[in-house]
Amino acid sequence: EPLPKELEGVGIEERPGAQVPLDAVFLDEDGKEVRLGELLNGKPTILTLVYYRCPMLCGLVLQGVLEGLKGLPATVGDEFNVVTISIDPLETPTLAKLKKQTYLAEYGRSGAAAGWHFLTGKQEQIQRVTNSVGFFYKWNEERQEYAHGAGIFVLTPQGKVARTLYGVLYEPRTLKLALSEAREGKSSLGEKIILYCFHYDANEGRYVVAASRIMRAGGALTALTLGGWLLVSWRRSRREAS
């Protein structure tokens, strides 16, 4: 069935490796001019594109992110950042500040204010970001609201799209693995092993066990174990023979 006219051109298109404009200029919740690249601060970053007066969907997305963040051992601002940008150029830093206060109060972790940024900006700057990550939306004049998709973007420290997560629910494990992927080789040994054994399934919207990889790893481990046992047996036989 064709899409309703009001939803034509609306949606999220995966663009792995796409570069967000680090020089895009916005206002933070205090009305201070900032550049997007400054807020990444050399860390993986969760990017959420919403608008603060949204009657429903944006609130569900932000609440889903919040619940996922609560399940992570690391606090926002320590190992990763969160940047929330309003797609509505008419919204103000005052409204952004109120939203930030609400979500930080529910998050309840000290120090998170320095790592979770709520921004507003001009239409041109907003669209530079949304177009770069594949987030397409439009204004519905009749309903007086924006039509848009539900999803978030996990960026590398250099501002490239590492993973696009769809929907309004983001499991802590999914966020943790996506952030680990975004670190680009700077993950711990344990995280690298976990990432090897799991892969992201877009249909499921989460990371699932990569059975073939585990079987290959198991086969290699078995071969190494058998080879070690044979080597020890051979050396023991030589010692006994001499």
Side-chain angles (χ1 to χ4, degrees), residues 50-207:
V50 298
Y51 68 107
Y52 305 132
R53 292 177 293 188
C54 180
M56 184 177 68
L57 188 55
C58 297
L60 294 176
V61 170
L62 288 175
Q63 192 64 34
V65 171
L66 178 64
E67 294 303 321
L69 294 176
K70 287 180 179 179
L72 297 179
T75 297
V76 175
D78 291 343
E79 299 177 9
F80 64 94
N81 297 314
V82 181
V83 173
T84 298
I85 299 177
S86 170
I87 60 174
D88 185 349
L90 298 180
E91 293 189 328
T92 64
T94 300
L95 185 55
K97 190 167 190 175
L98 290 173
K99 284 292 181 181
K100 179 169 183 173
Q101 291 172 346
T102 298
Y103 284 98
L104 287 183
E106 191 171 345
Y107 185 45
R109 297 193 191 182
S110 61
W116 193 342
H117 310 278
F118 286 71
L119 310 180
T120 54
K122 296 180 180 179
Q123 185 68 38
E124 177 189 355
Q125 301 300 312
I126 294 169
Q127 288 193 328
R128 290 181 66 198
V129 176
T130 58
N131 289 342
S132 69
V133 299
F135 183 89
F136 302 107
Y137 61 99
K138 66 166 57 173
W139 175 254
N140 186 311
E141 188 66 35
E142 181 181 348
R143 298 175 62 89
Q144 290 293 295
E145 62 185 47
Y146 283 96
H148 60 88
I152 62 176
F153 308 87
V154 182
L155 308 179
T156 69
Q158 292 74 38
K160 295 183 179 180
V161 177
R163 182 64 62 192
T164 301
L165 304 178
Y166 296 95
V168 297
L169 298 175
Y170 315 102
E171 297 177 352
R173 185 180 71 175
T174 297
L175 290 181
K176 183 177 181 179
L177 290 174
L179 288 167
S180 295
E181 265 190 321
R183 290 193 183 96
E184 295 185 320
K186 297 181 180 179
S187 306
S188 67
L189 177 60
E191 289 175 329
K192 289 178 180 178
I193 292 173
I194 293 174
L195 283 171
Y196 181 81
C197 296
F198 287 81
H199 72 90
Y200 183 74
D201 187 326
N203 293 324
E204 293 282 340
R206 59 191 178 91
Y207 287 80

